[in-house]
Every structure is written in structure tokens, then in C-alpha cells.
Amino acid sequence: MALVVQKYGGSSLENADRIKRVAERIVETRKAGNDVVVVCSAMGDTTDNLLDLAQQVSPIPPAREMDMLLTAGERISNALVAMAIHNLGAEARSFTGSQAGVITDAAHGKAKIIDVTPGRIRQALDDGAIALVMGFQGVSQDTKEITTLGRGGSDTTAVALAAGLRADVCEIYTDVDGIYTADPRIVPNASALKTISYEEMLEMAASGAKVLHLRSVEYARANNIPLRVRSSYTTDPGTLVTGFMEDIPMEEAILTGVAHDRGEAKITVAGVDDTPGISGQIFRVVADAEINIDMVVQNVSHIGTGKTDITFTLPKSDGQTAMEALNRAQPQIGFEKLLYDDHIGKVSLVGAGMRSHPGVTATFCESIAGAGVNIELISTSEIRISALVRDVDLDKAVAALHDAFELGSDKVAEVHAGTGR
Amino acid sequence: MALVVQKYGGSSLENADRIKRVAERIVETRKAGNDVVVVCSAMGDTTDNLLDLAQQVSPIPPAREMDMLLTAGERISNALVAMAIHNLGAEARSFTGSQAGVITDAAHGKAKIIDVTPGRIRQALDDGAIALVMGFQGVSQDTKEITTLGRGGSDTTAVALAAGLRADVCEIYTDVDGIYTADPRIVPNASALKTISYEEMLEMAASGAKVLHLRSVEYARANNIPLRVRSSYTTDPGTLVTGFMEDIPMEEAILTGVAHDRGEAKITVAGVDDTPGISGQIFRVVADAEINIDMVVQNVSHIGTGKTDITFTLPKSDGQTAMEALNRAQPQIGFEKLLYDDHIGKVSLVGAGMRSHPGVTATFCESIAGAGVNIELISTSEIRISALVRDVDLDKAVAALHDAFELGSDKVAEVHAGTGR
């Protein structure tokens, strides 16, 4: 008998009929002899509707009350799923994050889980019941206030509970049937991966793959919880996220997939003195505005002027804030111009096989060039290469890479020999 | 500085605009120098929508999950009102029933408040904030489960908090501007009462006046909390419910108003043996089905047969259950026929003045007869007379009584002298 944590996203719960189908799947899992803990997100567009109501009463709603408001969404969905399970003859009890022992810090709207004390969940399982836990929410340790976990919160709730309960697997149900080698809307012969290591999944998520949120994968890796990403519409086993990169034998390491991201913008701070500490000054200004930056390039000095340009990317949604902060800091930094460009796209190739196969970078660049696409910026990690291109060229670049590294078939992608990477 | 508890019903909160107007009223009360605790019901038709969703997933939803589901409604409305208050520059914090210390028994869907420990509310007030409490909900004492209080629950939450906090007044905001001498839709010259005693209000509520629920008035009387019923659409002071009947000087006691009720049905158990204990048998069957009966009449024995009929009224919604229960008990009770009639209406005259003015009953019967309406059944209490009439005659009877006792003007109703009551 295994202990299975299942998480269902909002698209799997968009109406009463979908809720009944989800209940059937949960009861099947229970009948197969497993202990089952379920985490449900809010139904379909409930959260958007609540956000809209909040906007109507207050342009800048206080974060504490926003958390109180938004947690109503998961309350509704989890209670309804519990009812649907009862209707199938199984016992189910829904619990708030607080009741389930999801203890967080006090940062409303973006709380971090600091402990999980799932005594009532364990009791429900011992009583033979299916336990449902409202995702995305917790209670602050000292102030006992209701908190929400921010983006990817329900996945994080599921993984944290799986860790706290020492579950055998955490299944993330969504509207796609796994992690793909590329977005099938762009690359029709993209294929679903059977397994992927935590590190590769992290790189894919950080590079724009939307299926799993970075945070829940980090939590799963830290606690070694196998994650299974699968569809609530099919019985397909989906993709298993498990295992550490260092445990993958070199000869089995492959290239995993191509991810893309349309959510970034590029800022260039042009004509700054090419002196030590100048980039530190710039990034401190951005960091103080609580903005995460992604790719960074510092150009070589313009000959004879002693001036240089610094370019970085950041989420589009933070673009205005960053530009304003940098503009205010102009007197200290002393740049000549500030340029903003949000017509960019990022394409990334991810895979542990990159470590063992020379020439990946060369093939990466050649295949993008072969598609007639210009690379504006490149950055790499141990198992990822990312390039910035024009947004209108992004799909071409994704398809070209997917094709060049032969990710579309079941075959392991062959990497062309080259002059190292 | 007074401590004011305000309760806003769903119709006062049906959209963002109404929520903002309610917030303005709350902030005005705070700015006038009062400590303010607010209890909000769910917005407009939220509860109906949630009930509808529950029906879609399960025909008989478990009561525990129903409570979890329905409490989402008050969570949404209270958080939104708190946001709207913030937007006006005042501080507000919303609390769940559990956080506010509303401790109940474990009867899901119809829990009773057994204690109020409003430590967090007191703290919020001490911090200068307006405290909002989600009405209609609590937490069970031993099992720590979320409960709901059933019908009239939000009013009861408000009164219980007022008692627990020793508030100076509990204001119940609704869509009418007080307690009327009769339903103004039936009697155009009905007038709003300035004050009414707890007992008179209880009789009015029990007789069909919908503005206040019986339960909250009982709670207010037991704790001597003045209740003010007023409209959230006007600045009219409304009606103050306060004072005990025994404290009203005889010569000031008046007739309060005419209430009516279209929600009852009449069952006649015909042809039962006129022996001791027979009515006890019948009402035990009804009580075992958890149905409250209202008026009761046992006819005199049919001459020569030793048989009699027993007639009683009960809520229409319980009619089918009662008929089935009695039908099953036919072998023991041995009645000849079971008759069911839901085309009835009940009209009641209420007022402490009834005690001191003889002839009220005579005028009551005369005025109904004068309107050409037949009385089918009469029952009385110390300060109330009720009559059952045909449903189509109900409005005529209400208007005739209101007119006969001159309740429409500001004058104290003059009671015609007669032969005692």
C-alpha cells in the first residue's frame, strides 16, 4: 500500500462534471489500495473572478485581505471534490491549509512554507478517509494569519505535504499529458518524456516550460519526492520527474528538450564607464526594486572611449519598475542611454547529455542560423544553452533546434561532433 | 466612545458598488469615535450559487463539506469590505468565525454558539482597527471543525459578538428601514416602529415578520443587547429592539403590529378515538421526524361516535415528511383520514397592550369578519392573537386588522372596550 499525493489544477476542476471525473480518479486510486491525499486548486477562473472583484473595490488591496479573499477559491473546489467523492461511496474530508498544518512565514501573497505538521491529515488517513487539502494556502507561524503561497502555490502545497507525509509519489494532474521535448503547438512531432531528472526539469521550468513551477520542483528535489506530471483527461502515465543528474550514467545522459519563453524583456544600459564595480551598481539598483534578472552580457569596451554597455533580461512585468529605478539612479551610475526592448524571445536547449557530448553549442548556433534567425545574446549553464532572438523568430528557432537534436522521435538525440562547447 | 457591532446582510453587499457604500458607513461610524466590529453575510446570491454547485456534484452532500463550502461566501464578502475600508484610509482586518472565537457545538449546518472568545477582535480594536467577522460560521469546540449556524446565522453571530464584547448596540442593516406595523406591500400606510420590546419582537418574528430571525432576538434578550434594525440605503434610525415587557408601564403598553405568514400548512388527523393520550401519540410521531408544529386544535368529540379530529399547522417545507410519518403510524394511531391543506395563511396581532386592554380578541374577530374573511383556527399567547384564514384572504385580513387597531398613524392604537378577551 502506497501513500499517493495527487494535485489537480484549476483546468481539471472547471465545472461540476470535471469535478465528478476527478473524484472518480481519486476513488479508483483509493480502491487500488493506496492512501490518498489530494490537493485541489481553485476551479477554472474563480481566482480571476475574485481578483476582478478586489480590483472593483480597491485599486491596491491590502495583501492580508487579498489572501483571505483568494483562499475562498480553494475552499470551494476542495469541498465540492469531497462531496463528489462521498457520492461515490468513499469517505473524504477537506482541510484548510491551516488545518492541514501548512505553516508559512508571514509574507502575504508570497509566503514560504517553513514547516508541515499534517497531524489531522494522518488521522484522516488512519480513519480510512481520503484527505483533501486546500492548495496555495497556509497559516503564518507566529501571527496565525491566513497566507497564500503565490505562483505555483498548489503544486508546492502538494510536494510539501508529500514530503511531510513521506509519500511514495506526488502526482501533478494538469491539462497536458507530461513534459514535452518542446511545445507541441510549435513542434507537432514533439514527444512526451518518460522520465526527467530534477535538475533538467528545473532548467526546463526556468527556461519557460510552464507545466511545473520552479519552486515545487526545487522542493521535490530537496526532499527527493518523485513527481509524476500527467493529464486528468487520460490514463497516460505522463512524465516522472525523479533522480539526480549526478546519478545518470554518462552514456545514458541525453538532451531533454527545447523550452521557450516569451515573458522576458531586455534592458541595455548604454555608455557607462568601463570601471570596476559599475555592473554591481546597476544590478544593486535592480535588486533593490525586488526584480530578478535572468541573462546578463557586458560588452567589451568601446575602443578609445573607456565606455561600455551592459545588457540584461528580466520579466516583462517588471520592465517598467526597473526602467524607473535605473532612471532615478542615472546621476550615480552615469550612463548615457537606457534602452528597453520587449520584442524578444528566449529559446533554451536542456539536457544532462550536454556535459558528455562535445559540440552541442556549435550545433545549437548552426541550427538557429540555418533557420535564418539571428542570436542576440547567449548564456549557458552546465546542462542548458539559452539564446535571445527576435520574438517573431522564436517559433522558427524552437523548431530548428528540436529538429537538429532529433528530439522528436523516441531515439536518443545524436549530437554532432564538433570542437567542444 | 461606544462599541458598535454592525451586521450587513447579503442584499446590502450584492455588488462592488454596494460594498463601497457599506464601507463608507462603517468608516463614518469609526470616525464618529466608536470602536466598530462588523459582521457581513455572503454577497447577494453567492450562497445560492454555492448550493447549486453542491447539488450538481452530489444530491445529498455531507454536512461537514457543505459547511466548508458555504463559509467561502462570507470569506469573500468580509475580505472585500475590509479592502474597501482600507481604500478609504481606515484600517480593517477580517477574521473567520474560528479566528474571532465563535465556538459552537458540532452540529454541522445548524450549529449553536456555546461560547465567544473574541481575543483577536479585542486586539484589533485596541490596535485602532475595524474588525470584520465572517457571519454564519464558527468552529466546533472539541473537534475543531468548521461549522455553520443555519438560518439567521449572521444576525446571531453579530448578537453573540456584541454580547461577548459587551457592545453598546448591535445594528442590523438590511434592505428595509425598520420593523413595520405591517408589511407595507400589503398595507400602504404601515409605519416603522421607533422601539419594540424583545418579547413583542419575538412574537412578530415567530408570526412571520421576516426582518429579524427569532434566534438572534432570543440571544439579544438573554444578554440584554439593544438591537437596532435599519436600512443600509438610508440614514433613518430604524427600529430599536430593547427593553423587557414587564418593564413597560401598563398605560404605555400598545399594540405593536400585524404579522403574517404564508409558509405554513395545515394537517388534520380525522376520526381518531377521543381517548386520553391520542394527541400525545400524534405529536410524538411528528416530533420524532424533527418537525416543529405551530397551532393546534382538538375538536370536541363527534356526538355519539367517540371520535374526534386533531388539526395542527407546521412549515409547508415539512408537510410531506409529516404526512409520510403519520401515514406510517396509522396502524398504531388508528385515524380514519389524513387531510393536508397548504392554501392557508396566518395573520397575527402582536402587542404588550393586549394584556391591559380588554376586548382585543373581540375586535380582532369582528374586523376579520367585517372584511368577509372566515377564521378557520385561532390561537393566542399573552401578547399575540393569531388566526388561520384562506391564503387568498390573507391580505384582506392583514389590512382589516391594521385598520381596526389604527396602527397606520403615529397614534397609539385605541382598543375598543368589550367583554374581556
Side-chain angles (χ1 to χ4, degrees), chain A residues 284-298:
Chain A
R284 174 58 56 200
V285 168
V286 179
D288 285 347
E290 301 211 359
I291 294 167
N292 291 316
I293 59 170
D294 179 24
M295 304 169 85
V296 175
V297 164
Q298 178 167 352

Side-chain angles (χ1 to χ4, degrees), chain A residues 138-149:
Chain A
V139 64
S140 65
Q141 190 161 41
D142 301 320
T143 53
K144 307 290 178 215
E145 297 281 9
I146 306 300
T147 55
T148 66
L149 308 178

